[in-house]
Short mmCIF file of all heavy atoms in Angstrom, two decimals:
data_model
loop_
_atom_site.label_atom_id
_atom_site.label_comp_id
_atom_site.label_asym_id
_atom_site.label_seq_id
_atom_site.Cartn_x
_atom_site.Cartn_y
_atom_site.Cartn_z
N MET A 1 178.32 29.42 88.33
CA MET A 1 178.50 30.79 88.72
C MET A 1 177.56 31.81 87.86
O MET A 1 177.04 32.68 88.44
CB MET A 1 179.99 31.22 88.46
CG MET A 1 180.27 32.57 88.85
SD MET A 1 180.41 32.68 90.75
CE MET A 1 181.06 34.33 90.86
N ASN A 2 177.46 31.53 86.63
CA ASN A 2 176.54 32.25 85.72
C ASN A 2 175.12 32.30 86.27
O ASN A 2 174.49 33.23 86.19
CB ASN A 2 176.83 31.76 84.28
CG ASN A 2 176.16 32.76 83.33
OD1 ASN A 2 175.78 33.94 83.71
ND2 ASN A 2 175.90 32.25 82.08
N GLU A 3 174.64 31.13 86.71
CA GLU A 3 173.38 30.98 87.14
C GLU A 3 173.19 31.85 88.40
O GLU A 3 172.14 32.53 88.79
CB GLU A 3 173.00 29.61 87.57
CG GLU A 3 171.48 29.34 87.77
CD GLU A 3 171.32 27.81 87.83
OE1 GLU A 3 171.75 27.06 86.99
OE2 GLU A 3 170.60 27.47 88.82
N ASP A 4 174.21 31.82 89.30
CA ASP A 4 174.15 32.74 90.56
C ASP A 4 174.00 34.26 90.24
O ASP A 4 173.36 34.96 90.89
CB ASP A 4 175.39 32.48 91.41
CG ASP A 4 175.42 31.09 92.12
OD1 ASP A 4 174.34 30.55 92.18
OD2 ASP A 4 176.54 30.73 92.49
N VAL A 5 174.77 34.67 89.21
CA VAL A 5 174.67 36.01 88.69
C VAL A 5 173.34 36.39 88.21
O VAL A 5 172.81 37.37 88.64
CB VAL A 5 175.79 36.29 87.68
CG1 VAL A 5 175.66 37.70 87.12
CG2 VAL A 5 177.17 36.15 88.16
N ILE A 6 172.69 35.50 87.53
CA ILE A 6 171.38 35.71 86.99
C ILE A 6 170.28 35.74 88.08
O ILE A 6 169.48 36.67 88.12
CB ILE A 6 171.05 34.54 85.97
CG1 ILE A 6 171.86 34.79 84.74
CG2 ILE A 6 169.54 34.68 85.63
CD1 ILE A 6 171.66 33.62 83.72
N LEU A 7 170.57 34.91 89.08
CA LEU A 7 169.58 34.94 90.23
C LEU A 7 169.81 36.21 91.01
O LEU A 7 168.83 36.89 91.51
CB LEU A 7 169.79 33.89 91.09
CG LEU A 7 169.44 32.42 90.66
CD1 LEU A 7 169.80 31.23 91.58
CD2 LEU A 7 167.86 32.45 90.58
N CYS A 8 171.01 36.65 91.13
CA CYS A 8 171.34 38.01 91.89
C CYS A 8 170.58 39.20 91.14
O CYS A 8 170.07 40.03 91.73
CB CYS A 8 172.69 38.16 92.02
SG CYS A 8 173.45 37.09 93.28
N GLN A 9 170.86 39.15 89.82
CA GLN A 9 170.21 40.13 89.01
C GLN A 9 168.73 40.26 89.10
O GLN A 9 168.09 41.26 89.24
CB GLN A 9 170.63 40.03 87.49
CG GLN A 9 172.13 40.38 87.31
CD GLN A 9 172.47 40.11 85.92
OE1 GLN A 9 171.83 39.23 85.23
NE2 GLN A 9 173.66 40.69 85.52
N LYS A 10 168.09 39.06 89.11
CA LYS A 10 166.68 38.98 89.16
C LYS A 10 166.20 39.49 90.53
O LYS A 10 165.17 40.14 90.74
CB LYS A 10 166.09 37.51 89.07
CG LYS A 10 166.24 37.13 87.59
CD LYS A 10 165.63 35.65 87.35
CE LYS A 10 165.70 35.39 85.98
NZ LYS A 10 165.10 34.02 85.68
N GLU A 11 166.96 39.06 91.53
CA GLU A 11 166.67 39.67 92.99
C GLU A 11 166.87 41.21 93.04
O GLU A 11 166.03 41.77 93.81
CB GLU A 11 167.56 38.88 93.89
CG GLU A 11 167.23 39.29 95.46
CD GLU A 11 165.78 38.85 95.91
OE1 GLU A 11 165.03 38.11 95.24
OE2 GLU A 11 165.42 39.21 97.04
N ILE A 12 167.80 41.63 92.55
CA ILE A 12 168.07 43.09 92.45
C ILE A 12 166.90 43.78 91.77
O ILE A 12 166.41 44.76 92.22
CB ILE A 12 169.34 43.47 91.79
CG1 ILE A 12 170.50 43.00 92.81
CG2 ILE A 12 169.45 44.93 91.53
CD1 ILE A 12 171.92 43.04 92.10
N GLN A 13 166.49 43.22 90.75
CA GLN A 13 165.28 43.77 89.97
C GLN A 13 164.10 43.79 90.77
O GLN A 13 163.31 44.73 90.95
CB GLN A 13 165.06 43.11 88.72
CG GLN A 13 166.08 43.41 87.53
CD GLN A 13 165.83 42.54 86.30
OE1 GLN A 13 165.15 41.61 86.34
NE2 GLN A 13 166.58 43.01 85.24
N ARG A 14 163.81 42.67 91.42
CA ARG A 14 162.64 42.47 92.45
C ARG A 14 162.64 43.49 93.50
O ARG A 14 161.69 44.19 93.82
CB ARG A 14 162.56 41.10 92.98
CG ARG A 14 161.28 40.85 93.77
CD ARG A 14 161.33 39.45 94.51
NE ARG A 14 162.31 39.58 95.60
CZ ARG A 14 162.07 40.18 96.81
NH1 ARG A 14 160.75 40.78 96.99
NH2 ARG A 14 162.93 40.19 97.72
N LEU A 15 163.90 43.70 94.07
CA LEU A 15 164.02 44.69 95.28
C LEU A 15 163.91 46.03 94.75
O LEU A 15 163.33 46.91 95.36
CB LEU A 15 165.39 44.46 95.94
CG LEU A 15 165.51 43.06 96.75
CD1 LEU A 15 166.95 42.97 97.14
CD2 LEU A 15 164.53 43.14 97.94
N ARG A 16 164.34 46.36 93.58
CA ARG A 16 164.13 47.80 93.07
C ARG A 16 162.60 48.12 92.89
O ARG A 16 162.20 49.11 93.21
CB ARG A 16 164.72 47.92 91.74
CG ARG A 16 166.20 48.07 91.77
CD ARG A 16 166.88 48.24 90.60
NE ARG A 16 168.32 48.50 90.68
CZ ARG A 16 169.16 48.27 89.70
NH1 ARG A 16 168.84 47.68 88.54
NH2 ARG A 16 170.48 48.51 89.89
N CYS A 17 161.90 47.14 92.40
CA CYS A 17 160.45 47.22 92.31
C CYS A 17 159.79 47.44 93.66
O CYS A 17 158.95 48.30 93.76
CB CYS A 17 159.87 45.97 91.57
SG CYS A 17 158.07 46.09 91.38
N VAL A 18 160.30 46.69 94.67
CA VAL A 18 159.70 46.87 96.07
C VAL A 18 159.94 48.18 96.54
O VAL A 18 159.02 48.85 97.14
CB VAL A 18 160.30 45.72 96.96
CG1 VAL A 18 160.05 46.13 98.41
CG2 VAL A 18 159.91 44.32 96.65
N VAL A 19 161.18 48.70 96.28
CA VAL A 19 161.53 50.11 96.85
C VAL A 19 160.67 51.13 96.04
O VAL A 19 160.21 52.02 96.63
CB VAL A 19 163.06 50.27 96.62
CG1 VAL A 19 163.35 51.77 96.83
CG2 VAL A 19 163.86 49.46 97.53
N ARG A 20 160.58 51.03 94.80
CA ARG A 20 159.69 51.87 94.00
C ARG A 20 158.31 51.94 94.54
O ARG A 20 157.58 53.04 94.68
CB ARG A 20 159.72 51.68 92.45
CG ARG A 20 161.00 52.17 91.81
CD ARG A 20 160.86 52.16 90.28
NE ARG A 20 160.51 50.80 89.79
CZ ARG A 20 161.45 49.82 89.41
NH1 ARG A 20 162.80 50.08 89.57
NH2 ARG A 20 161.06 48.62 88.98
N THR A 21 157.74 50.76 94.90
CA THR A 21 156.38 50.70 95.30
C THR A 21 156.36 51.33 96.71
O THR A 21 155.43 52.17 97.00
CB THR A 21 155.94 49.16 95.43
OG1 THR A 21 156.02 48.61 94.13
CG2 THR A 21 154.53 49.15 96.01
N TYR A 22 157.28 51.06 97.53
CA TYR A 22 157.38 51.63 98.93
C TYR A 22 157.49 53.21 98.76
O TYR A 22 156.58 53.93 99.51
CB TYR A 22 158.46 51.03 99.67
CG TYR A 22 158.77 51.79 100.96
CD1 TYR A 22 157.99 51.49 102.12
CD2 TYR A 22 159.70 52.67 101.10
CE1 TYR A 22 158.28 52.02 103.34
CE2 TYR A 22 160.08 53.46 102.23
CZ TYR A 22 159.40 53.04 103.45
OH TYR A 22 159.66 53.75 104.56
N GLU A 23 158.24 53.70 97.93
CA GLU A 23 158.49 55.19 97.85
C GLU A 23 157.10 55.74 97.44
O GLU A 23 156.75 56.77 97.87
CB GLU A 23 159.65 55.44 96.86
CG GLU A 23 160.89 55.19 97.51
CD GLU A 23 162.01 55.34 96.42
OE1 GLU A 23 161.86 55.20 95.30
OE2 GLU A 23 163.12 55.64 96.91
N SER A 24 156.52 55.13 96.44
CA SER A 24 155.17 55.72 95.95
C SER A 24 154.12 55.72 97.05
O SER A 24 153.35 56.74 97.12
CB SER A 24 154.67 54.80 94.77
OG SER A 24 153.42 55.14 94.43
N GLN A 25 154.00 54.73 97.88
CA GLN A 25 153.07 54.70 98.91
C GLN A 25 153.51 55.72 99.98
O GLN A 25 152.49 56.32 100.50
CB GLN A 25 153.04 53.18 99.49
CG GLN A 25 152.41 52.24 98.61
CD GLN A 25 152.55 50.78 99.20
OE1 GLN A 25 153.32 50.44 100.03
NE2 GLN A 25 151.68 49.91 98.69
N MET A 26 154.73 55.93 100.21
CA MET A 26 155.18 57.00 101.24
C MET A 26 154.60 58.40 100.64
O MET A 26 154.30 59.19 101.41
CB MET A 26 156.50 56.90 101.56
CG MET A 26 156.98 55.61 102.19
SD MET A 26 156.12 55.21 103.76
CE MET A 26 155.00 54.06 103.20
N ARG A 27 154.80 58.52 99.36
CA ARG A 27 154.45 59.85 98.84
C ARG A 27 153.03 60.12 98.92
O ARG A 27 152.43 61.22 99.17
CB ARG A 27 154.95 60.06 97.40
CG ARG A 27 156.42 60.36 97.11
CD ARG A 27 156.64 60.68 95.74
NE ARG A 27 156.35 59.63 94.96
CZ ARG A 27 157.32 58.62 94.42
NH1 ARG A 27 158.36 58.50 95.03
NH2 ARG A 27 156.80 57.72 93.62
N GLU A 28 152.22 58.99 98.72
CA GLU A 28 150.85 59.01 98.81
C GLU A 28 150.34 59.35 100.28
O GLU A 28 149.37 60.21 100.44
CB GLU A 28 150.13 57.68 98.39
CG GLU A 28 150.05 57.54 96.94
CD GLU A 28 149.38 56.21 96.49
OE1 GLU A 28 148.48 55.85 97.13
OE2 GLU A 28 149.87 55.62 95.50
N LEU A 29 150.98 58.74 101.15
CA LEU A 29 150.63 59.02 102.63
C LEU A 29 151.13 60.42 102.99
O LEU A 29 150.23 61.06 103.64
CB LEU A 29 151.54 58.02 103.47
CG LEU A 29 151.30 58.14 104.86
CD1 LEU A 29 149.86 58.01 105.47
CD2 LEU A 29 152.28 57.20 105.73
N GLU A 30 152.18 60.93 102.42
CA GLU A 30 152.52 62.31 102.82
C GLU A 30 151.51 63.25 102.24
O GLU A 30 151.10 64.24 103.02
CB GLU A 30 153.91 62.57 102.11
CG GLU A 30 154.44 63.93 102.58
CD GLU A 30 155.75 64.14 101.95
OE1 GLU A 30 156.48 63.21 101.63
OE2 GLU A 30 156.30 65.40 102.10
N ASN A 31 151.08 63.11 100.95
CA ASN A 31 150.09 63.93 100.34
C ASN A 31 148.80 63.87 101.16
O ASN A 31 148.15 64.82 101.45
CB ASN A 31 149.78 63.54 98.93
CG ASN A 31 151.08 63.89 98.04
OD1 ASN A 31 151.80 64.77 98.48
ND2 ASN A 31 151.10 63.16 96.92
N TYR A 32 148.38 62.59 101.48
CA TYR A 32 147.10 62.52 102.33
C TYR A 32 147.22 63.30 103.65
O TYR A 32 146.17 63.98 103.99
CB TYR A 32 146.81 61.00 102.58
CG TYR A 32 145.65 60.67 103.46
CD1 TYR A 32 144.34 60.87 102.84
CD2 TYR A 32 145.67 60.34 104.73
CE1 TYR A 32 143.22 60.60 103.59
CE2 TYR A 32 144.63 60.07 105.46
CZ TYR A 32 143.41 60.29 104.90
OH TYR A 32 142.30 59.96 105.71
N LEU A 33 148.29 63.06 104.37
CA LEU A 33 148.43 63.72 105.65
C LEU A 33 148.36 65.25 105.41
O LEU A 33 147.71 65.93 106.32
CB LEU A 33 149.69 63.43 106.32
CG LEU A 33 149.74 61.96 106.97
CD1 LEU A 33 151.22 61.56 107.34
CD2 LEU A 33 148.82 61.80 108.08
N GLU A 34 149.04 65.71 104.43
CA GLU A 34 148.98 67.17 104.11
C GLU A 34 147.60 67.66 103.83
O GLU A 34 147.16 68.73 104.40
CB GLU A 34 149.91 67.48 103.02
CG GLU A 34 150.23 68.92 102.79
CD GLU A 34 151.38 69.29 101.81
OE1 GLU A 34 151.62 68.38 100.95
OE2 GLU A 34 151.85 70.33 101.86
N GLN A 35 146.96 66.89 102.98
CA GLN A 35 145.51 67.42 102.79
C GLN A 35 144.53 67.29 103.99
O GLN A 35 143.86 68.28 104.22
CB GLN A 35 145.00 66.34 101.77
CG GLN A 35 145.51 66.49 100.41
CD GLN A 35 144.89 65.44 99.34
OE1 GLN A 35 144.09 64.56 99.71
NE2 GLN A 35 145.44 65.43 98.27
N MET A 36 144.83 66.27 104.80
CA MET A 36 144.01 66.23 106.13
C MET A 36 144.35 67.36 106.97
O MET A 36 143.57 68.00 107.68
CB MET A 36 144.47 64.93 106.82
CG MET A 36 143.97 63.70 106.21
SD MET A 36 142.11 63.62 106.05
CE MET A 36 141.59 63.39 107.70
N ALA A 37 145.62 67.82 107.04
CA ALA A 37 146.01 68.93 107.84
C ALA A 37 145.43 70.27 107.35
O ALA A 37 145.26 71.08 108.24
CB ALA A 37 147.55 69.08 107.91
N GLU A 38 145.09 70.46 106.13
CA GLU A 38 144.47 71.55 105.57
C GLU A 38 143.05 71.50 105.31
O GLU A 38 142.37 72.64 105.00
CB GLU A 38 145.19 71.83 104.16
CG GLU A 38 146.75 72.00 104.23
CD GLU A 38 147.29 73.20 105.04
OE1 GLU A 38 146.49 74.19 105.07
OE2 GLU A 38 148.17 73.04 105.71
N ASN A 39 142.43 70.35 105.52
CA ASN A 39 140.99 70.19 105.36
C ASN A 39 140.00 70.97 106.23
O ASN A 39 140.04 70.80 107.43
CB ASN A 39 140.66 68.68 105.40
CG ASN A 39 139.29 68.44 104.98
OD1 ASN A 39 138.43 69.26 104.91
ND2 ASN A 39 138.96 67.13 104.70
N GLN A 40 139.48 71.99 105.74
CA GLN A 40 138.64 72.88 106.58
C GLN A 40 137.33 72.21 107.04
O GLN A 40 136.60 72.79 107.84
CB GLN A 40 138.24 74.15 105.85
CG GLN A 40 139.52 74.98 105.47
CD GLN A 40 140.25 75.44 106.73
OE1 GLN A 40 139.58 75.93 107.69
NE2 GLN A 40 141.61 75.43 106.66
N MET A 41 137.01 71.06 106.37
CA MET A 41 135.71 70.45 106.89
C MET A 41 135.96 69.60 108.16
O MET A 41 134.96 69.36 108.81
CB MET A 41 135.35 69.44 105.76
CG MET A 41 134.87 70.18 104.46
SD MET A 41 134.22 69.07 103.13
CE MET A 41 132.67 68.53 103.97
N LEU A 42 137.25 69.48 108.53
CA LEU A 42 137.47 68.83 109.81
C LEU A 42 137.40 69.74 110.82
O LEU A 42 137.71 70.89 110.65
CB LEU A 42 138.95 68.08 109.77
CG LEU A 42 139.08 66.93 108.70
CD1 LEU A 42 140.64 66.56 108.80
CD2 LEU A 42 138.27 65.88 109.05
N GLY A 43 137.19 69.29 112.00
CA GLY A 43 137.34 70.14 113.20
C GLY A 43 138.78 70.57 113.50
O GLY A 43 139.66 70.02 113.04
N ASP A 44 138.79 71.56 114.46
CA ASP A 44 140.12 72.14 114.89
C ASP A 44 141.01 70.95 115.37
O ASP A 44 142.26 70.89 115.11
CB ASP A 44 140.07 73.23 115.83
CG ASP A 44 139.37 74.55 115.17
OD1 ASP A 44 139.46 74.56 113.87
OD2 ASP A 44 138.93 75.26 115.95
N GLU A 45 140.45 70.20 116.22
CA GLU A 45 141.22 69.13 116.89
C GLU A 45 141.88 68.07 115.85
O GLU A 45 143.08 67.63 115.94
CB GLU A 45 140.45 68.51 117.96
CG GLU A 45 141.23 67.28 118.73
CD GLU A 45 142.40 67.86 119.56
OE1 GLU A 45 142.43 69.14 119.84
OE2 GLU A 45 143.22 66.97 119.96
N ALA A 46 141.04 67.70 114.95
CA ALA A 46 141.41 66.85 113.89
C ALA A 46 142.44 67.17 112.97
O ALA A 46 143.57 66.71 112.66
CB ALA A 46 140.07 66.31 113.16
N ARG A 47 142.26 68.58 112.64
CA ARG A 47 143.34 69.26 111.89
C ARG A 47 144.65 69.33 112.66
O ARG A 47 145.79 69.11 112.02
CB ARG A 47 142.96 70.60 111.38
CG ARG A 47 142.10 70.52 110.15
CD ARG A 47 141.88 71.79 109.42
NE ARG A 47 141.55 72.98 110.27
CZ ARG A 47 140.49 73.39 110.76
NH1 ARG A 47 139.48 72.76 110.35
NH2 ARG A 47 140.41 74.62 111.46
N ARG A 48 144.63 69.71 114.03
CA ARG A 48 145.79 69.78 114.80
C ARG A 48 146.48 68.47 114.81
O ARG A 48 147.73 68.38 114.72
CB ARG A 48 145.38 70.21 116.13
CG ARG A 48 146.70 70.52 117.02
CD ARG A 48 146.38 70.77 118.45
NE ARG A 48 145.72 69.54 119.16
CZ ARG A 48 146.42 68.43 119.39
NH1 ARG A 48 147.75 68.41 119.20
NH2 ARG A 48 145.90 67.38 120.12
N VAL A 49 145.62 67.34 115.03
CA VAL A 49 146.37 66.05 115.05
C VAL A 49 146.92 65.67 113.67
O VAL A 49 148.06 65.11 113.67
CB VAL A 49 145.28 64.96 115.49
CG1 VAL A 49 145.73 63.53 115.31
CG2 VAL A 49 144.85 65.15 116.95
N ALA A 50 146.29 65.95 112.65
CA ALA A 50 146.76 65.61 111.28
C ALA A 50 148.09 66.48 111.05
O ALA A 50 149.05 65.87 110.59
CB ALA A 50 145.72 66.09 110.26
N ARG A 51 148.14 67.71 111.50
CA ARG A 51 149.32 68.50 111.35
C ARG A 51 150.53 67.93 112.13
O ARG A 51 151.66 67.88 111.70
CB ARG A 51 149.09 69.94 111.65
CG ARG A 51 148.38 70.79 110.68
CD ARG A 51 148.46 72.36 110.96
NE ARG A 51 147.74 72.55 112.27
CZ ARG A 51 146.48 72.93 112.38
NH1 ARG A 51 145.78 72.95 111.42
NH2 ARG A 51 146.19 73.24 113.53
N GLU A 52 150.18 67.42 113.31
CA GLU A 52 151.17 66.93 114.18
C GLU A 52 151.75 65.64 113.63
O GLU A 52 152.91 65.35 113.59
CB GLU A 52 150.58 66.63 115.65
CG GLU A 52 151.63 66.04 116.55
CD GLU A 52 152.67 67.04 116.94
OE1 GLU A 52 152.64 68.21 116.62
OE2 GLU A 52 153.64 66.53 117.56
N ILE A 53 150.92 64.68 113.10
CA ILE A 53 151.29 63.52 112.46
C ILE A 53 152.02 63.85 111.22
O ILE A 53 153.12 63.19 111.00
CB ILE A 53 150.00 62.70 112.06
CG1 ILE A 53 149.38 62.09 113.40
CG2 ILE A 53 150.47 61.47 111.15
CD1 ILE A 53 148.10 61.42 113.09
N PHE A 54 151.66 64.81 110.49
CA PHE A 54 152.38 65.29 109.27
C PHE A 54 153.77 65.70 109.62
O PHE A 54 154.81 65.41 108.99
CB PHE A 54 151.62 66.32 108.47
CG PHE A 54 152.22 66.74 107.20
CD1 PHE A 54 152.45 65.90 106.13
CD2 PHE A 54 152.66 68.13 107.19
CE1 PHE A 54 152.99 66.29 104.93
CE2 PHE A 54 153.41 68.53 105.97
CZ PHE A 54 153.51 67.65 104.88
N ARG A 55 153.95 66.51 110.70
CA ARG A 55 155.09 67.10 111.13
C ARG A 55 156.14 65.94 111.56
O ARG A 55 157.32 65.94 111.13
CB ARG A 55 154.96 68.02 112.25
CG ARG A 55 156.27 68.68 112.83
CD ARG A 55 155.94 69.50 113.95
NE ARG A 55 155.72 68.55 115.19
CZ ARG A 55 156.60 67.95 115.92
NH1 ARG A 55 157.91 67.87 115.48
NH2 ARG A 55 156.16 67.15 116.82
N ILE A 56 155.58 65.01 112.19
CA ILE A 56 156.43 63.80 112.76
C ILE A 56 156.79 62.95 111.52
O ILE A 56 158.01 62.59 111.46
CB ILE A 56 155.58 62.96 113.69
CG1 ILE A 56 155.52 63.74 115.14
CG2 ILE A 56 156.30 61.60 113.91
CD1 ILE A 56 154.46 63.05 116.08
N TRP A 57 155.91 62.76 110.62
CA TRP A 57 156.25 62.01 109.30
C TRP A 57 157.37 62.75 108.55
O TRP A 57 158.26 62.04 108.10
CB TRP A 57 154.86 62.03 108.48
CG TRP A 57 155.16 61.26 107.22
CD1 TRP A 57 155.18 61.84 105.96
CD2 TRP A 57 155.50 59.87 107.10
NE1 TRP A 57 155.53 60.69 104.94
CE2 TRP A 57 155.74 59.69 105.75
CE3 TRP A 57 155.54 58.77 107.90
CZ2 TRP A 57 155.98 58.18 105.29
CZ3 TRP A 57 155.95 57.54 107.49
CH2 TRP A 57 156.12 57.37 106.15
N LYS A 58 157.36 64.07 108.39
CA LYS A 58 158.38 64.77 107.64
C LYS A 58 159.81 64.56 108.48
O LYS A 58 160.75 64.42 107.86
CB LYS A 58 158.09 66.19 107.64
CG LYS A 58 156.85 66.56 106.77
CD LYS A 58 157.08 66.29 105.33
CE LYS A 58 157.83 67.22 104.66
NZ LYS A 58 158.00 67.15 103.17
N TRP A 59 159.57 64.53 109.92
CA TRP A 59 160.77 64.48 110.61
C TRP A 59 161.29 62.89 110.39
O TRP A 59 162.59 62.83 110.19
CB TRP A 59 160.57 64.65 112.10
CG TRP A 59 161.75 64.39 113.05
CD1 TRP A 59 162.69 65.21 113.27
CD2 TRP A 59 161.94 63.16 113.86
NE1 TRP A 59 163.62 64.67 114.10
CE2 TRP A 59 163.13 63.46 114.47
CE3 TRP A 59 161.18 61.99 114.00
CZ2 TRP A 59 163.72 62.49 115.35
CZ3 TRP A 59 161.72 61.19 114.93
CH2 TRP A 59 162.96 61.32 115.54
N ILE A 60 160.60 62.03 110.36
CA ILE A 60 161.02 60.60 110.07
C ILE A 60 161.76 60.56 108.64
O ILE A 60 162.87 59.92 108.56
CB ILE A 60 159.81 59.65 110.23
CG1 ILE A 60 159.28 59.47 111.64
CG2 ILE A 60 160.19 58.30 109.61
CD1 ILE A 60 158.08 58.84 111.98
N LEU A 61 161.09 61.13 107.78
CA LEU A 61 161.74 61.06 106.45
C LEU A 61 163.05 61.72 106.27
O LEU A 61 163.83 61.28 105.60
CB LEU A 61 160.71 61.69 105.28
CG LEU A 61 159.32 61.05 105.14
CD1 LEU A 61 158.60 61.76 104.18
CD2 LEU A 61 159.70 59.57 104.60
N GLU A 62 163.32 62.66 107.16
CA GLU A 62 164.57 63.33 107.06
C GLU A 62 165.59 62.63 107.74
O GLU A 62 166.78 62.84 107.53
CB GLU A 62 164.43 64.74 107.77
CG GLU A 62 163.59 65.72 106.97
CD GLU A 62 163.24 67.03 107.83
OE1 GLU A 62 163.69 67.19 108.97
OE2 GLU A 62 162.57 67.80 107.18
N GLU A 63 165.16 61.66 108.68
CA GLU A 63 166.35 60.86 109.47
C GLU A 63 166.75 59.83 108.65
O GLU A 63 166.70 59.35 107.77
CB GLU A 63 165.48 60.28 110.74
CG GLU A 63 165.22 61.40 111.74
CD GLU A 63 166.48 62.03 112.32
OE1 GLU A 63 167.48 61.49 112.64
OE2 GLU A 63 166.40 63.33 112.26
#
């Protein structure tokens, strides 16, 4: 039984690391989309699409 507990604890630690990595990547994606939506070097259509993707992304995160 003790070995099972140790294995579970190791798996929990691994999953926590996976979640932290995922959350970090999602924050990076959100920042990137926001920057793209505000980038004046892009054309109007590209900024509009970036804003739309960013809006949908924020909606997904809220769900």
